[in-house]
Amino acid sequence: MWQYILRRTGQAMVVIILVTFLTFLLLHNLPGGAARSALGLDATPAQIDAYNEQMGYDKPFLIQYMMYLGRLASGDLGFSFQQNQPVADLIVQRLPKTMLLSFLAAFVALVVSIPLGAIQAVTRGKVPDYFVTAVALFAYATPLFFLGMLLIVLFSQATSLLPPQAPQGFGLGEILADWPGLILPVATLAIATLAAYTRYVRSSMIDNLQENYIRTAKAKGLSGGRVVVRHALRNSLFPVISLLGMYIPALFSGALVVEQLFNYPGMGLMFWQATQTRDFPILLATTTIVALATVIGSLLADFAYAVADPRVRLSGDS
C-alpha cells in the first residue's frame, strides 16, 4: 500500500506543476498582459515598461515562472490592483464561504443519492428505476444557471417562500445566521451533483448484487433488506469515495455559476468578477488553489479507498 501511496503522491506533484505552468503561460500571454490589466487602458508605454520591470515581467518566461513558484512556495499569491488588497487576504475571506457552500451541497447530494441509487438497483428494470433515472438525467442535463433561475421563480417570485439572494456577510457566522438564504444556492448545486452520484451508486450496487458473497448471504437465510443494506450497499460505497475527490472541479465550477446567480460572496463570485476586470493575480491564484484542492481531494480519496479496499492494501496496486 505504501508503494501505491508514494506513486500517487509523485503523480500529484507532477500534475500540480503542469497546471501551474499552463495557467501561468495562458494568463501571461493574453492580449494586453498583466501590466495593462493592473494600470488600466490609459497607461503609457513607459508606465507599462516600468511596471513590467518592477514585477519581473520583462524577464524570459521560464525565469518569470520560477520566480512565481518561489513566491507561491512562500505563500505570496500576489497583489490585486483592482481590489487593492493582497490576493491571499481575499482568498482567506472568500474560500471558507465557498467551502461551506460546496460541503453542504455535497452532503445533501450524498444523503439523497445513496438511497435513490439503492432503490434503483433493487428495482432494476421496473417503474421506480425508470422514474428516478428519468429525473436524474433531466437534472443532469439541465444547465445550472437555468436550474437556479427556475428555483428562484418558483420559491422566491411565485411563492415568496425563500429569499432570491444568498446571505451577505463577512464571516461564516453571519452567513449561517441567515440560513434561509442558503437553501436555494445549496439546492441548485446539490441537484446537479446528486444526478451523477445517483447513477454512480446505482451502477456500483448492481455490480455488487451480482457478486458471489451476496448469493452466499442469501443462502444463509439473511433477509433481503439486511443483504442489501449491510452487504451490497456498504461495498457499493467504496467507488463513491473516489468520486468525491474527483468531483471537486465540478463543485467549484458549479459554485462559480451559483455564486454569481445568487450573489454569494465566495471564491466563485470573486473569480467571475476577476474575469470581467482581467485581474491576473486573482485568476492565477484561484486556478492554482482549485488545482491543488482537486489533487489533494483525489489523493485523500485514493488513500481512503486503499485503506478500505483489501485488494489495494495487499497488492499495492490501484
Side-chain angles (χ1 to χ4, degrees), residues 30-201:
L30 289 176
R36 181 65 66 184
S37 172
L39 301 179
L41 298 177
D42 297 330
T44 64
Q47 291 173 325
I48 291 177
D49 291 340
Y51 177 86
N52 287 333
E53 182 178 358
Q54 178 186 359
M55 301 301 296
Y57 294 151
D58 59 334
K59 294 179 172 57
F61 173 76
L62 288 179
I63 295 179
Q64 292 185 43
Y65 176 66
M66 296 306 296
M67 292 171 59
Y68 165 71
L69 287 183
R71 294 193 300 269
L72 189 63
S74 64
D76 182 7
L77 298 178
F79 188 88
S80 170
F81 288 91
Q82 303 290 342
Q83 302 283 346
N84 197 30
Q85 290 187 61
V87 176
D89 292 347
L90 291 170
I91 290 176
V92 168
Q93 297 171 14
R94 302 290 191 110
L95 183 57
K97 301 171 188 177
T98 295
M99 290 178 63
L100 174 66
L101 178 65
S102 299
F103 173 79
L104 290 176
F107 177 77
V108 172
L110 280 176
V111 169
V112 176
S113 64
I114 289 174
L116 285 181
I119 291 172
Q120 285 187 271
V122 173
T123 61
R124 181 185 181 186
K126 298 180 181 178
V127 173
D129 181 28
Y130 291 139
F131 177 77
V132 176
T133 297
V135 173
L137 290 177
F138 176 79
Y140 188 77
T142 303
L144 200 59
F145 70 90
F146 178 79
L147 179 61
M149 289 190 295
L150 182 62
L151 293 180
I152 290 174
V153 170
L154 291 177
F155 296 99
S156 296
Q157 305 298 326
T159 60
S160 300
L161 292 176
L162 296 170
Q165 179 174 269
Q168 305 295 306
F170 185 80
L172 292 182
E174 299 175 59
I175 298 293
L176 291 173
D178 188 18
W179 62 266
L182 279 173
I183 294 178
L184 289 184
V186 169
T188 303
L189 192 55
I191 289 173
T193 306
L194 72 86
Y197 285 174
T198 301
R199 299 296 296 168
Y200 210 86
V201 172

Side-chain angles (χ1 to χ4, degrees), residues 18-33:
L18 288 175
V19 168
T20 57
F21 180 83
L22 291 175
T23 304
F24 192 84
L25 175 65
L26 291 173
L27 289 179
H28 281 265
N29 281 279
L30 289 176

Side-chain angles (χ1 to χ4, degrees), residues 230-268:
R230 297 195 58 182
H231 295 278
L233 180 59
R234 183 175 62 181
N235 291 322
S236 299
L237 296 181
F238 289 150
V240 179
I241 297 175
S242 298
L243 184 66
L244 286 173
M246 294 185 294
Y247 224 70
I248 291 178
L251 283 173
F252 179 77
S253 62
L256 190 152
V257 176
V258 170
E259 290 180 11
Q260 193 273 335
L261 181 63
F262 290 95
N263 195 32
Y264 182 78
M267 287 275 289

